[in-house]
Amino acid sequence: MPMRMGRTLRVVRTVALVAALSLLARVAGDAAPPASPIRTADLQSWLTYVSADELEGRALFSSGLGLAAGYLADHLREWGVQPAGDAGSYLQTVRILGVNATSRSSVTISVGGQSRTFTDGAGVAFPSFVGGKRSFTIDRVEFAGYGLDAPAIAERDYADRRMRGAAAIWLGSQGPKAATSAMRRQLAGRSRYATDQLGAAAAITAAGPRETAPAPAGRQEGPDFTTAQRLDAPIAPHVTAGRDLLDFLFSRAPVPYRELERRAEAREALAPFTLDGVTMRFEIDADYEVVRTQLGHNVVGIVRGADPRLADTYVAFGAHYDHVGYAEGEVTRDGGGTRRAGAPGRVTPGAEDDRIWNGADDDGSGTVALMALARAFAQGPRPHRSLLFVWHTGEERGLYGSRYFADHPTVRLDRVVAQLNVDMIGRNRDDDPAEADTVYLVGSDRISTELHAINREANAALARPLALDYEMNDPSDPEQLYTRSDHYSYAAKGIPIIFFTTGLHPDYHANTDEVSRIEFDKMSRIAQMIYETGRRLADLDHAPTRDNLGPRAY
Ligand SMILES: [Zn+2]
């Protein structure tokens, strides 16, 4: 258009420009990420209380832990989070049982038309806790070599092996030659890996080299076992067998047992193979006598979803509010140095006078992050599904609170579409400043690839995305974190989980895990990422698909 324009035209043009600019401003206003519902100052003030000396290190069964439970309940009530514990309260009583067991369990093995039965204590040993009475037959028996999934040492004993419903047999207490002491946790967890993560119906290993029969477990002081789990729940047996049983089991196998035993002792290669024509019939039969009951509390709250079609389904959030407590013993200083008697964890040199393990990071950080999430959902936009918050007790003593909740849920567990677990998100791994943006995710892809993707998108949508690191999702990661916090109790029920942590550091389980060392800005960014992930899951029109493809991201 030529330049000779009249005044009216200029006025019109200016008005249009201003209108355009204000429209732009409004759009820009909308695009700017809304103010985060997670406020760093709140996290700091809550954690200062939760990790204060007056809470005595929040050990299970301590008054300090009781104070923490009351503090949580008071805030949930104030924010309008619904109680979801027992009888309309925020507290779920957790019963931790000391149990003596009388076993009549046995396994009958059939090989090439011949059968032999081995009873507990005579050629085979069952653990004291084998769950409820039941009998079942396994007709797929897999010899899994060393029973390791350790790509780092080129040991993939389960590659291309369909383990769900099969019996897994592994040998070699030390593992192959390439196995290092750093693999101590993985080596110790092989039976559990086979049953819990690969879905094997039973795991069998040798009692010990050259042992004809495992030594019967004499009755020791105190109960045979302590558990918060249902005594009648079906549990896949982990048994140890003597030479007699193993000779018979491998009597028609491509390689006889004695040769496998020799190779395992020599830490030579142990090629996996299927034992064709072999079946195992288990009679799980134990009587339990409860000889002690100890009580604790989970703290449980719900924010109801807005969509009536989806509000009876849940996105679950978890943390543990207990820690290891304090040292009852005194400090001794002598030629052997300075020691603190009765320390429930490590004593940081120079801090011997501090008798309280405050657990600011472990897991005070997760405890208050969950408080921020509960308030954000209770007071912010309400998603379609409901949100379930569980502050677990007794995690430090064996995942008691989460095991109990998973076996005695206060909502239907089959309505929980995913569980997001937070344990130690307040520091940099090894206190390395280069980790300022890094958070570790464990298990995000193991049960649901879709959950993994949703979390990645949620992070990418943040104003300041975090660096998501999957190093600890490696099945052969030395720390084996996948089995070491409360998400594991939900994963064991088939629920897709993500475990969020910033990793270990010099104050882990030390008396110097203090609030003064917490990276609050980082912690609130991680809480924001979890909020965003939870919101997306809660608005999803379907439950994340459970494809159970195991760990791939690492
Ligand atoms: Zn912890």
Side-chain angles (χ1 to χ4, degrees), residues 110 147 212 251 261 374 379 472 500:
S110 305
T212 50
S251 53
E261 183 188 67
Q379 300 184 342
M472 299 178 193
F500 300 92

Side-chain angles (χ1 to χ4, degrees), residues 187 229 243 284 315 347 353 365 379 469:
L187 289 167
Q229 289 174 260
R243 274 174 146 191
I284 304 297
V315 175
V347 177
D353 293 329
S365 60
Q379 300 184 342
D469 194 313

Side-chain angles (χ1 to χ4, degrees), residues 144 147-149 156-161 163 168 170 190 193-194 198:
L148 283 172
D149 198 352
R156 310 213 65 172
D157 294 316
Y158 292 107
D160 315 319
R161 223 148 268 286
M163 293 312 297
W170 59 268
R190 282 175 281 182
Y193 181 73
L198 303 180

Side-chain angles (χ1 to χ4, degrees), residues 437-448:
D437 292 317
T438 302
V439 59
Y440 294 85
L441 279 71
V442 181
S444 58
D445 63 347
R446 295 196 187 199
I447 298 173
S448 170

Side-chain angles (χ1 to χ4, degrees), residues 320 322-323 361-363 395-396 422-424 484-486 499 508-509:
H320 70 91
D322 68 304
H323 193 48
D361 189 29
D362 189 10
D363 186 22
E395 187 271 357
E396 301 287 4
V422 194
D423 193 350
M424 299 178 59
R484 290 174 55 193
S485 189
D486 295 308
F499 171 32
Y508 172 63
H509 276 221

Side-chain angles (χ1 to χ4, degrees), residues 119-128 206-220 240-243:
T119 54
D120 192 2
V124 68
F126 286 74
S128 307
R210 304 179 184 285
E211 281 195 37
T212 50
R219 177 147 281 158
Q220 79 270 332
T240 55
R243 274 174 146 191

Side-chain angles (χ1 to χ4, degrees), residues 162-175:
R162 198 165 53 82
M163 293 312 297
R164 197 161 291 282
I169 307 164
W170 59 268
L171 295 175
S173 56
Q174 298 176 289

